[in-house]
Amino acid sequence: MRSAIIISAFAALAVAAPRPQEIYFELVDTAADPEIVTPPTNVAVDDVAVLPAASAVQVADASVTDVAQAKRKQKRGLQKRDGDCRPEPAGTGPRISSPDDTAEAFLAYQPFKTDAINAATNANVPQGYSLAFSNLEASSQTVSYLGLKTQGQYDPITCASYCDQHPGCVAFNLYYERNPSVNPNATNCPNPTSVTNIKCVRWGVQVTQSTATNDGQHRDDFHVVVSGSNGYNKNAPPTSQTGFNGPVKLGGAINAPNDPITNTNTYMGYKFFSFDQVQTFAGGVAACTAACTAQTAYNSRHPPKAPAKPSVCNQAVVYVLSQNNQPQGIYCSMYSEEWAPNYATNYGQYRGSDYWSVSSAYAYTNGTYAASYGPICAVGGCPNGSFRGGNCGGYGAGTC
């Protein structure tokens, strides 16, 4: 279990990194455990407020100080075990009562599966999205829950529009759910008649078949189950960030050697942001680039002994770090020089029996630096505009 205290990443910056860069776990271990959210079953609409953009800057600024910050979690999606028999949302899909009103009959109802299969065809996948999974009997439960609404039809385009209305939404899950008609009570209404709701749930991280683990629950004697569950991920990259060029999509995290010309280490350390702090992947991107800028300012205020110069963060590499395919938070690596995508070869690593993987990796480069220097590339297949290094972290050749 991780501590609920989020410790500064500053200490990690003072340690020279082995090469190539591994995934470091000091800050991951000290961050709060990710809250896996199961969408509520007893509401027709659940709105989640957008975290203000300024909060990403505050999180970034805090990451370059020695101040620890306690973080209190807000639990969502939790329901009382016993209800009061009051009516719940009336349902938006066909009620399944033949051959009987049971979870088994609901799961056997073929039209739900047919709708999911049809919605997974290329013609019906919404523009700008890719299909992540189709026709499961489980819905996604993961971090970065951004709310839900019920729909009148099983329509992925309508659900995509709902996702697009939230600036942090990068994925959605559409499914049929068997819900009770009244709030079950163990004594007075333990197993009420069912209704069917068509649920559209939006997420701030990508969904996969591995996140679709919510295969139902019991509310007293009533069995909530899911059918026809489809997941979709947005194709668009994260937004541009003020003062930076990019994003540049990477196949993994950067594994940077020393500068090929000066043999100097360009790795400046890393930050790790929990979803409690940044809410979404988009929020993590903003926090990462803001932390890059803040780290440069911090280094300038605390320069090393002459003739050494304070390190400037000129490249930030941001990605989702997952443990056994379950997102844990946003990992943010910093470099004093820009490296070409050819070096993005760290796809993950084992830690004991757990596999920690890299996904949604992007690079941002300080705009001022990028105006003078291309990405370092001293391997085969280098992109146009790349060079072999030697700019001494942006201070210019011969100043290392």
Side-chain angles (χ1 to χ4, degrees):
M1 179 68 74
R2 298 184 193 135
S3 167
I5 301 297
I6 299 166
I7 305 298
S8 160
F10 176 68
L13 301 175
V15 180
R19 299 177 300 273
Q21 287 80 58
E22 299 175 345
I23 297 170
Y24 297 98
F25 292 99
E26 292 89 346
L27 303 182
V28 179
D29 290 340
T30 55
D33 286 334
E35 182 187 353
I36 306 302
V37 179
T38 301
T41 63
N42 59 346
V43 296
V45 176
D46 188 26
D47 291 323
V48 175
V50 179
L51 199 66
S55 65
V57 177
Q58 294 170 354
V59 168
D61 288 344
S63 73
V64 291
T65 70
D66 291 321
V67 178
Q69 177 183 355
K71 188 71 177 178
R72 296 180 64 185
K73 289 184 178 180
Q74 293 183 341
K75 298 291 185 183
R76 301 189 60 87
L78 301 180
Q79 301 168 5
K80 293 184 296 183
R81 287 297 301 165
D82 215 9
D84 52 13
C85 297
R86 291 184 178 180
E88 296 211 341
T92 57
R95 179 175 177 269
I96 307 305
S97 58
S98 177
D100 48 28
D101 188 356
T102 62
E104 291 74 18
F106 186 93
L107 293 175
Y109 188 64
Q110 187 60 39
F112 291 161
K113 305 178 190 302
T114 299
D115 285 350
I117 293 170
N118 289 339
T121 62
N122 290 337
N124 291 322
V125 172
Q127 290 294 311
Y129 286 83
S130 297
L131 184 71
F133 55 82
S134 177
N135 197 27
L136 301 184
E137 292 181 352
S139 61
S140 271
Q141 53 183 6
T142 184
V143 296
S144 197
Y145 168 70
L146 298 180
L148 69 81
K149 73 169 186 176
T150 55
Q151 296 188 172
Q153 293 182 321
Y154 189 96
D155 180 9
I157 295 177
T158 300
C159 195
S161 176
Y162 177 62
C163 178
D164 291 341
Q165 293 168 27
H166 194 295
C169 182
V170 298
F172 67 87
N173 187 192
L174 179 65
Y175 54 91
Y176 289 98
E177 186 172 77
R178 181 178 188 263
N179 297 138
S181 56
V182 300
N183 194 0
N185 177 276
T187 301
N188 299 317
C189 54
N191 189 18
T193 58
S194 72
V195 297
T196 300
N197 280 298
I198 303 171
K199 296 285 184 74
C200 171
V201 184
R202 55 191 181 189
W203 297 98
V205 294
Q206 291 196 336
V207 295
T208 67
Q209 189 162 337
S210 296
T211 65
T213 57
N214 176 28
D215 58 2
Q217 59 183 270
H218 278 90
R219 295 175 60 186
D220 289 319
D221 292 340
F222 186 89
H223 193 187
V224 177
V225 290
V226 170
S227 184
S229 178
N230 282 14
Y232 302 82
N233 290 320
K234 189 173 289 187
N235 297 331
T239 59
S240 59
Q241 301 294 312
T242 302
F244 289 83
N245 288 11
V248 174
K249 186 171 179 57
L250 304 176
I254 292 290
N255 265 341
N258 280 358
D259 182 295
I261 301 299
T262 62
N263 198 35
T264 52
N265 182 19
T266 68
Y267 177 64
M268 293 176 58
Y270 76 103
K271 317 289 188 187
F272 182 78
F273 302 111
S274 71
F275 285 102
D276 276 350
Q277 294 174 291
V278 298
Q279 189 182 43
T280 64
F281 176 61
V285 169
C288 181
T289 53
C292 180
T293 300
Q295 190 65 55
T296 296
Y298 184 96
N299 293 351
S300 180
R301 295 192 303 269
H302 303 82
K305 185 176 180 180
K309 297 176 175 61
S311 294
V312 176
C313 179
N314 286 315
Q315 185 181 52
V317 175
V318 57
Y319 59 87
V320 176
L321 179 66
S322 296
Q323 180 184 18
N324 300 325
N325 288 323
Q326 298 300 321
Q328 302 294 301
I330 303 298
Y331 202 99
C332 173
S333 299
M334 301 183 182
Y335 298 86
S336 62
E337 298 175 5
E338 179 188 8
W339 291 89
N342 306 57
Y343 294 91
T345 57
N346 183 358
Y347 312 117
Q349 65 192 57
Y350 276 96
R351 190 188 192 197
S353 61
D354 294 327
Y355 188 69
W356 292 77
S357 58
V358 173
S359 64
S360 301
Y362 291 89
Y364 289 83
T365 303
N366 179 293
T368 302
Y369 176 93
S372 299
Y373 305 103
I376 295 176
C377 188
V379 294
C382 294
N384 292 333
S386 58
F387 79 123
R388 294 187 175 275
N391 67 57
C392 297
Y395 284 104
T399 61
C400 296

